[in-house]
């Protein structure tokens, strides 16, 4: 059985760091709320980079639909685009720096902030 924590042990949920991290992750959560975009993300994770035509071959979606999903993912900074001749290749955005962290880094920062904020549950 898990020992539930007394609600009085929690601080109010208005700490700036958690709110900032949640706000920074909202575009990621919104973009990945769609199952097709989740599948595209997994395909990019598996293959490294793909163009729209290849993604369309791997999914039951039209090319315009795939392009639309990629556009939303690019706006959320989840994917990056590299031009190679006439083709555009999409890959997961793993480029980051302190001023502009990628979504994966933002999610990691949110997780760390939440872990630091909430005491762990204990198992009895």
């Amino acid at each position: 059985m898990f020992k539930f924590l007394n609600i009085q042990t929690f601080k109010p949920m208005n700490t700036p760091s958690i709110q900032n991290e949640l706000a920074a992750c909202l575009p990621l959560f919104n973009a990945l709320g769609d199952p097709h975009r989740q599948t595209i993300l997994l395909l990019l994770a598996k293959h490294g980079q793909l163009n729209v035509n290849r993604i369309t071959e791997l999914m039951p979606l039209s090319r315009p639909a795939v392009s639309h999903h990629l556009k939303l993912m690019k706006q959320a900074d989840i994917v990056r685009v590299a031009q190679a001749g006439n083709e555009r290749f999409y890959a997961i955005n793993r480029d980051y720096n302190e001023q502009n962290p990628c979504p994966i880094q933002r999610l990691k920062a949110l997780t760390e902030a939440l872990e630091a904020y909430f005491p762990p549950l204990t198992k009895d």
Side-chain angles (χ1 to χ4, degrees):
M1 296 294 293
F2 284 100
K3 178 181 172 185
F4 292 96
L5 297 174
N6 184 336
I7 195 69
Q8 295 170 350
T9 63
F10 291 108
K11 303 168 195 164
M13 191 62 167
N14 62 2
T15 61
S17 65
I18 293 176
Q19 286 181 330
N20 291 341
E21 298 303 336
L22 280 169
C25 288
L26 279 178
L28 174 68
F29 295 146
N30 289 333
L32 293 181
D34 182 274
H36 295 301
R37 290 191 285 274
Q38 294 168 15
T39 301
I40 291 170
L41 183 70
L42 294 174
L43 287 171
L44 293 174
K46 179 179 179 181
H47 297 282
Q49 65 177 8
L50 296 168
N51 64 18
V52 175
N53 291 330
R54 184 65 180 133
I55 295 170
T56 302
E57 291 170 2
L58 297 170
M59 294 187 68
L61 294 175
S62 68
R63 189 180 189 288
V66 169
S67 292
H68 174 73
H69 288 299
L70 287 167
K71 175 185 169 187
L72 295 175
M73 293 173 75
K74 186 175 181 313
Q75 288 173 343
D77 207 24
I78 297 168
V79 298
R80 59 179 170 74
V81 183
Q83 191 80 27
N86 293 334
E87 300 216 51
R88 298 177 74 178
F89 287 90
Y90 293 84
I92 295 173
N93 181 12
R94 292 186 172 96
D95 300 331
Y96 68 93
N97 57 50
E98 288 185 28
Q99 291 77 30
N100 188 27
C102 71
I104 294 169
Q105 290 302 114
R106 289 183 189 131
L107 190 56
K108 182 178 176 184
L110 173 62
T111 303
E112 288 171 356
L114 289 170
E115 286 175 344
Y117 185 78
F118 293 107
L121 293 176
T122 57
K123 191 173 180 178
D124 286 345

